[in-house]
Amino acid sequence: MGATIKAITRTEGTAPFAFSESALAECRTIIARYPEGRGKSALLPILHIAQAENDGWLSVDAMDAVAQLLGLRHIEVYEVASFYSMFNLHPVGRHVLEVCQTTPCMLRGSDDIVAHVEKRLGIHAGETTKDGLFTLKTVECLGSCGTAPMLQCGAKYHEDLTPAKVDALIETLRNEPTRNNYTDR
Amino acid sequence: MGRKLLLEHVGKPGIQGLEGYRANGGYRSVEKALRTLTPEAVLEEVKKSGLRGRGGAGFPTGMKWSFMAKPPGVPRYLVVNADESEPGTFKDRYLMERIPHLLVEGMITASFALGANVSYIYIRGEYFYIHRILERAIGEARAAGWLGKNILGSGFDHEIHVQIGAGAYICGEETALLESLEGKRGNPRIKPPFPAVKGLYDCPTVVNNVETIAAVVPIINDGGEEYAKIGVGKSTGTKLISAGGNIKRPGVYEIELGLPCEEFLNSDEWCGGVEGRALKAVVPGGSSVPIVPAELFFKTAKFEPRLMTYESLADGGFQTGTMLGSGGFYAYNDAQCIVRSTWNHTRFYHHESCGQCSPCREGTGWMEKVLHRLEHGHGRMDDIDLLWDIQKRIEGNTICPLGDAAAWPVASAIRHFRDEFEFHATHPTKVKDPKHFEKEPFVRKPKPVEA
Ligand SMILES: Cc1cc2nc3c(=O)[nH]c(=O)nc-3n(C[C@H](O)[C@H](O)[C@H](O)COP(=O)(O)O)c2cc1C
Ligand code: SF4
Ligand code: FES
C-alpha cells in the first residue's frame, strides 16, 4: 500500500521479459477501451498480464516493457506497481496462498489457518518454500467473510476452510505443474 | 418473508444468462425507459423512490444524479463502484456472481438518465472470476442489441467496460477509484471539485455502488412511489446485508429496511442467532462503522427497538449508535476479545492508508503499535488515553474519510469496552494467550446509558 514502502530493485539472475503475441493482442484490445490519449488507463490490467507472463511477479524488465508498450516513463509504472498489493515485486512460488486475516475472518478462526499453513509449509507469512512451490501471503478482506476462514490461490477462492481442507489443497497443488494466475493465461 | 426486489430471481435456472434473465422479466426497465420515458423522467422516478447510495454513505441517489454537470460537447460517465473491500462486505460479489445482468440492465437505464454513452465497472482485482462473469453478460447484452449504437431505435448509444483493480481498499473511495481507473496510484483527490463536475478524465461523472445501480431496475419497472412504500421514513426500499462473524447462518440477505435488529440477528430466516455462545458486540455496516455492545444493537438509548434503517442504527450519534454503512454485518460472541479485534481493524487501516495525509499515515501506524502491545501483554494504563488522543487527532483532519474510518472503530471500542482495555493493561500474563477469553469470557459492566 501507499503507506508501506515497497522498494523497486533488480533481482539478480532475472530472465529478460517480452510479451507473447497473444498477450500483446489482449493488451491492444484493452487499450482500445479508453478514449484517445487515455491509454494510461490500461496500466493496471496490463500489469496483471505482464505479471502472469513473468512467473507471477513483476521484474524491472517486465515493468519497463509495460512502460514502453504504453509510452509511459518508467517511474509512472514503478509508482503504480508498488502501490497495489496484488503486484509482486519479487519472485514468488508457483502457488501463492493468500490467507485473509481481516477481522470478520479472524472472528471465524483465520489466525488458526495462518498458523496451520505456516507449520505445514515450514515458512512464515511473506516467505516462499525452498522448493519454490509455495508462497504464503496474508491479505486483507477478500469479500468472502460469510464463508470464512478462506484463502485465495490465483483467481480461485477456497472457502469454509478447516486444517484438513488446507492439507488436501496443499497436496493437490503440489501435483499441479502450472501456476494459477489471476488472468486466464 | 420480506419482499425481494434484487435477489428475487437468484437461483432460478439460467438466470445468469441473458435468456433466463429475459424470461424472468429482465431488461424491461431499459425498454420502458428508452421507449416511453425521457432521461428527466427516469431521474424523477429515482428521486421519488428515495433510494440512497448503497456503498456506505447513504447519499440520495436522485440528488447525486441531478448534480451532474452538462457542459455541451463534453462526454459524461457513469462509473460503477465494484471495489467492495470494506471488511465484512460481500453483497456486491454475490449480486454480480448470481445475477450479473441485473447490474448491466441498471447501468443502461441509469446511463440513459445521465446521458452517459460509456460506463465503466471498476472491480477489485481479487474478484477476477467475477470480472469474467460480467464480461460474458456484457457480451450477451451487446449481441442482443441491449448495448451498442441506437439501442431499441431510441438513438441512445451505450458501451460498458470492466476495469480491474489490483488490491487497494482505498480505491473504493470514489476519487481514488477514478485515479486508479486513469492508471495511477489510488490517491484520493481533494474535493471540491466533486466528480459530478470533474470526474473521470476531468469530465462530469457519477460514481455509484453496484447495489445502488441494480436498485434502479425495480424502481423504473414499478415506479419510484412503489419502491418508496417499502421501508421506514427516509430509509426506503430493500438493502442487501452480508452477514458474517459468529452467527449460525452467514450469508447475503435482502431485507426490507425497517426490519428490527433483534429479528434480523435471531430469526432463522436471517442470521439464525449467535453461534454457540452469548452475543457480545455487533458491527452492523462494515469495519468502518462504530462497534456497539449487544444491548445497544437491540435497543436505542431511549429503549426503543433498534431497526435496520439508516436513522435508527445511527440514533444516539456515536455515543450510543452506529451506522448502516455498506451493510457488512458481523457479530461477536463472548469468546472474542475487543482489544484483539480493534488491533486487527487498525492493522487493516494502517496497511490500506494511501499515505497522503500525515494524521492517517502516521496515526494509524501508532495506533496499531499501541494496540499490539496492549493485546500482547506489554501495555500500560496510559495507552488507553494515548489511543483516544491519536484517534481524535486523525478524525476530521484528512483528505478522505479513510482517516475517520480508522478512528471510529478505536473510539467506539474504548467508549463501550474501556474496562476490557484496562483488563489488558492489568493482566499481562493472562492476555498473552491469544485465546484469552475463550474459556473465561470477560464480564463487562454495562455503563448506565444517559437518556
Ligand atoms: C475508504 C473508503 C472506501 C470505500 N469503499 C467503497 C467500496 O468498496 N464500494 C463502494 O461502493 N463504495 C465505497 N466507498 C464509498 C464511495 O466513496 C462512494 O461514496 C460510493 O461508491 C458512492 O456510491 P453510492 O452513492 O451508490 O453509495 C468507500 C469510501 C471510502 C472513504
Ligand atoms: S485519509 Fe488516509 S487514505 Fe485518505 S487520503 Fe489521507 S492518507 Fe490517504
Ligand atoms: S474478512 Fe476475510 S474475506 Fe472478509
Side-chain angles (χ1 to χ4, degrees):
Chain A
M1 274 320 79
T4 325
I5 311 294
K6 286 206 262 177
I8 308 268
T9 48
R10 280 188 190 273
T11 304
E12 287 299 316
T14 306
F17 177 87
F19 280 107
S20 66
E21 275 309 312
S22 67
L24 277 178
E26 193 180 340
C27 292
R28 279 187 212 106
T29 324
I30 292 172
I31 295 167
R33 286 181 196 155
Y34 310 99
E36 223 17 70
R38 296 292 183 174
K40 187 172 176 180
S41 274
L43 183 50
L44 265 60
I46 288 181
L47 280 171
H48 276 298
I49 292 174
Q51 175 158 294
E53 291 227 309
N54 192 57
D55 275 335
W57 70 290
L58 289 169
S59 60
V60 171
D61 250 20
M63 290 188 277
D64 291 352
V66 172
Q68 198 188 358
L69 181 68
L70 289 172
L72 301 174
R73 286 171 291 150
H74 290 177
I75 184 67
E76 289 179 88
V77 177
Y78 302 164
E79 66 173 8
V80 165
S82 62
F83 186 84
Y84 295 91
S85 63
M86 286 174 75
F87 296 133
N88 301 313
L89 301 186
H90 296 283
V92 290
R94 186 191 294 157
H95 305 295
V96 184
L97 304 178
E98 303 185 286
V99 186
C100 173
Q101 60 169 350
T102 313
T103 318
C105 271
M106 189 195 82
L107 296 175
R108 296 182 76 82
S110 61
D111 288 355
D112 294 342
I113 296 296
V114 174
H116 183 79
V117 179
E118 285 184 330
K119 203 170 123 209
R120 173 84 204 199
L121 296 178
I123 51 172
H124 291 294
E127 294 174 354
T128 300
T129 53
K130 280 210 188 71
D131 57 10
L133 281 186
F134 294 98
T135 296
L136 172 63
K137 265 171 112 173
T138 47
V139 296
E140 305 299 348
C141 182
L142 292 174
S144 188
C145 336
T147 40
M150 61 83 62
L151 68 77
Q152 179 165 30
C153 181
K156 205 166 159 26
Y157 277 38
H158 300 270
E159 301 169 88
D160 292 312
L161 292 179
T162 58
K165 268 194 178 174
V166 170
D167 289 347
L169 174 66
I170 289 175
E171 279 324 301
T172 313
L173 290 174
R174 213 180 270 292
N175 301 314
E176 259 183 35
T178 52
R179 164 187 310 285
N180 284 302
N181 273 315
Y182 284 104
T183 65
D184 291 338
R185 34 197 76 250
Chain B
M1 274 297 280
R3 268 214 273 171
K4 288 190 174 35
L5 302 179
L6 305 181
L7 303 185
E8 186 187 352
H9 302 299
V10 164
K12 292 193 181 161
I15 198 71
Q16 286 158 302
L18 179 62
E19 217 175 293
Y21 183 70
R22 212 30 204 147
N24 284 287
Y27 288 96
R28 272 187 301 140
S29 79
V30 177
E31 288 174 318
K32 185 169 171 184
L34 271 57
R35 290 213 167 111
T36 69
L37 300 174
T38 60
E40 294 73 27
V42 174
L43 169 61
E44 210 40 52
E45 291 305 320
V46 173
K47 279 191 181 161
K48 272 192 237 162
S49 74
L51 174 66
R52 292 165 67 176
R54 303 301 195 216
F59 191 82
T61 306
M63 200 190 294
K64 184 187 264 190
W65 289 13
S66 67
F67 292 154
M68 180 84 126
K70 298 190 167 98
V74 178
R76 284 167 239 154
Y77 294 103
L78 168 69
V79 176
V80 170
N81 189 341
D83 193 59
E84 189 162 78
S85 318
E86 174 76 13
T89 316
F90 47 100
K91 64 185 178 81
D92 297 337
R93 171 184 170 211
Y94 186 93
L95 188 149
M96 292 185 285
E97 181 174 354
R98 317 273 162 134
I99 186 155
H101 280 284
L102 184 65
L103 176 61
V104 176
E105 176 178 356
M107 288 175 75
I108 301 167
T109 306
S111 297
F112 173 70
L114 293 166
N117 297 116
V118 177
S119 58
Y120 293 93
I121 304 173
Y122 182 96
I123 187 165
R124 61 179 302 180
E126 296 89 341
Y127 283 180
F128 184 78
Y129 77 101
I130 295 176
H131 171 201
R132 284 293 180 249
I133 293 174
L134 291 172
E135 295 226 307
R136 198 174 315 124
I138 292 165
E140 284 180 329
R142 191 177 294 126
W146 296 107
L147 286 170
K149 295 248 173 273
N150 193 19
I151 301 165
L152 300 179
S154 65
F156 175 63
D157 305 338
H158 196 66
E159 266 314 327
I160 298 178
H161 300 295
V162 190
Q163 170 84 345
I164 191 126
Y169 166 66
I170 192 57
C171 291
E173 194 281 333
E174 56 185 11
T175 60
L177 184 153
L178 295 174
E179 287 286 297
S180 183
L181 187 44
E182 291 180 4
K184 302 180 217 155
R185 294 165 71 93
N187 288 343
R189 299 173 181 170
I190 292 176
K191 294 192 264 190
F194 289 91
V197 176
K198 231 176 161 198
L200 182 64
Y201 310 133
D202 287 340
C203 300
T205 303
V206 159
V207 181
N208 270 135
N209 175 256
V210 169
E211 184 188 347
T212 312
I213 293 299
V216 170
V217 172
I219 288 169
I220 297 309
N221 282 341
D222 307 333
E225 272 167 32
E226 267 312 294
Y227 187 86
K229 283 184 191 158
I230 305 176
V232 177
K234 287 192 173 145
S235 296
T236 60
T238 63
K239 173 89 189 85
L240 300 183
I241 307 285
S242 56
N246 304 129
I247 54 171
K248 288 197 187 121
R249 287 166 39 86
V252 174
Y253 299 109
E254 181 170 6
I255 63 161
E256 291 187 10
L257 286 166
L259 182 73
C261 291
E262 186 152 16
E263 190 178 333
F264 178 66
L265 183 74
N266 287 324
S267 157
D268 283 339
E269 195 178 325
W270 319 107
C271 303
V274 179
E275 190 146 48
R277 321 180 53 129
L279 177 69
K280 179 167 185 171
V282 169
V283 173
S287 67
S288 304
V289 312
I291 186 169
V292 284
E295 75 277 4
L296 281 177
F297 177 62
F298 294 136
K299 294 241 166 32
T300 67
K302 290 172 230 141
F303 298 104
E304 281 160 4
R306 185 89 73 181
L307 307 178
M308 299 286 280
T309 64
Y310 292 97
E311 293 74 23
S312 180
L313 279 166
D315 187 83
F318 283 180
Q319 287 306 314
T320 54
T322 171
M323 281 155 64
L324 179 62
S326 64
F329 173 100
Y330 47 99
Y332 293 57
N333 67 20
D334 67 1
Q336 303 296 348
C337 169
I338 299 296
V339 176
R340 191 172 187 81
S341 109
T342 309
W343 163 50
N344 193 303
H345 278 140
T346 306
R347 200 213 62 249
F348 171 82
Y349 290 104
H350 181 219
H351 184 258
E352 301 299 335
S353 164
C354 84
Q356 281 191 108
C357 328
S358 317
C360 171
R361 181 189 62 242
E362 304 301 326
T364 51
W366 294 343
M367 294 198 299
E368 183 192 350
K369 257 190 212 153
V370 175
L371 283 158
H372 181 276
R373 76 175 173 234
L374 265 172
E375 169 62 8
H376 292 84
H378 306 290
R380 304 184 291 262
M381 220 46 151
D382 304 353
D383 283 345
I384 305 167
D385 290 336
L386 180 59
L387 280 171
W388 185 264
D389 191 53
I390 302 171
Q391 66 79 21
K392 246 183 121 85
R393 284 165 201 265
I394 300 173
E395 191 191 8
N397 292 320
T398 57
I399 293 175
C400 93
L402 186 138
D404 303 337
W408 296 339
V410 175
S412 55
I414 297 179
R415 185 177 288 125
H416 299 298
F417 298 94
R418 192 177 183 106
D419 44 359
E420 201 167 313
F421 282 79
E422 289 171 359
F423 180 88
H424 278 70
T426 51
H427 295 73
T429 331
K430 168 105 185 160
V431 298
K432 273 188 182 125
D433 170 8
K435 302 200 169 173
H436 39 268
F437 294 148
E438 202 160 282
K439 280 192 220 100
E440 201 183 330
F442 183 82
V443 184
R444 168 173 158 272
K445 298 179 277 307
K447 271 190 295 190
V449 179
E450 293 149 40

